């Protein structure tokens, strides 16, 4: 078993890795796992550029607000316009925002339907 650091928020020792992030199951805090870059990775590293509906640059940890009602696929629920989403994570792909929405759970959103808060 690997030696993972305790949660920085609640000091829980039950932290686990999820890809390149650490997750605390007790308080649901997520943070980036430190990693060493090889010299090749350091020079090839390209920043992911994601813009909201107004053209503002988005970054990991930003807060965004929905500008359109969005139907949740596979359910009858809808996420209403004006819903604030905290602590987003940028990912590559068609849906370029990874987040958790209160009352809904983990979601992937398109940046064209949000604006920076």
């Amino acid at each position: 078993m690997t030696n993972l650091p305790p949660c920085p928020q609640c000091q829980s020792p039950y932290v686990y890795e999820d890809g390149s992030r650490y997750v605390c199951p007790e308080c649901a805090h997520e943070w980036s796992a430190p990693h060493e870059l090889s010299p090749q990775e350091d020079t090839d590293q390209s920043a992911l550029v994601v813009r909201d509906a107004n053209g503002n640059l988005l970054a990991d940890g930003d807060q965004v607000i929905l500008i359109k009602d969005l139907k949740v696929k596979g359910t009858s629920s809808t996420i209403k316009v004006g819903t604030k989403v905290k602590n987003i994570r940028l990912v590559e792909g068609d849906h370029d925002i990874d987040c958790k929405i209160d009352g809904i759970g983990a979601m992937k959103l398109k940046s064209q339907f949000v604006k920076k808060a």
Side-chain angles (χ1 to χ4, degrees), residues 21-113:
R21 300 182 61 81
Y22 292 141
V23 179
C24 175
E26 292 185 3
C27 70
H29 179 65
E30 296 183 13
W31 67 102
S32 296
H35 70 285
E36 300 296 322
L37 291 177
S38 68
Q40 184 180 9
E41 280 183 309
D42 198 19
T43 58
D44 286 344
Q45 187 177 14
S46 62
L48 181 62
V49 177
V50 177
R51 296 185 181 271
D52 68 359
N54 296 331
N56 298 320
L57 280 176
L58 296 175
D60 285 347
D62 280 349
Q63 293 183 10
V64 295
I65 298 172
L66 291 178
I67 61 169
K68 179 181 177 183
D69 285 348
L70 298 175
K71 293 182 180 179
V72 179
K73 193 172 187 178
T75 68
S76 62
S77 61
T78 302
I79 305 170
K80 298 292 183 184
V81 65
T83 301
K84 185 179 272 190
V85 180
K86 300 177 185 177
N87 198 18
I88 65 169
R89 187 173 11 162
L90 302 179
V91 294
E92 291 192 27
D94 187 32
H95 292 75
D96 43 14
I97 297 175
D98 229 2
C99 61
K100 290 181 184 173
I101 299 176
D102 293 338
I104 303 291
M107 293 286 300
K108 288 185 179 255
L109 300 173
K110 290 186 177 184
S111 59
Q112 66 193 30
F113 299 124

